[in-house]
Amino acid sequence: AKKAAKGDVLIAKSNILLDVKPWDDETDLAKMEEAVRAIEADGLLWGASKLVPVGYGIKKLQICCVVEDDKVGTDFLEEQITAIEDYVQSMDIAAFNKI
């Protein structure tokens, strides 16, 4: 209880790897990534990303983010990312690790 009073509160964080899938091979992936990174929230920090081939000339965006568990949930991320309907067909969580 004394530590909490001093402000040494441990903030639970998670590292999440997201797969963001475009509609087709003509989707502008740079604009899609720009739109995803434009999502802002207290406790959300975007990290590295890369394009991963899916097949038939289509690539998906694999992007990493760190979230504070109490502030940002996966439901929020999914809601925000799938709302980018011009570029995003679907989104999956590829990896979820507590840090």
Side-chain angles (χ1 to χ4, degrees), residues 21-93:
K21 297 179 185 122
W23 286 106
D24 54 33
D25 60 343
E26 294 178 10
T27 301
D28 187 333
L29 298 175
K31 288 211 186 310
M32 182 173 82
E33 180 177 351
E34 201 176 289
V36 169
R37 287 185 182 275
I39 297 168
E40 292 182 344
D42 187 29
L44 169 64
L45 179 68
W46 293 107
S49 66
K50 65 180 179 179
L51 298 176
V52 180
V54 178
Y56 305 103
I58 299 173
K59 292 182 178 178
K60 66 183 174 186
L61 171 67
Q62 204 168 59
I63 189 164
C64 190
C65 67
V66 175
V67 299
E68 288 182 29
D69 296 349
D70 292 344
K71 295 180 180 178
V72 180
T74 54
D75 292 346
F76 168 81
L77 289 171
E78 187 164 2
E79 213 171 85
Q80 295 292 310
I81 292 172
T82 54
I84 309 168
E85 294 173 344
D86 290 350
Y87 304 114
V88 178
Q89 179 193 4
S90 65
M91 185 215 94
D92 293 313
I93 295 168

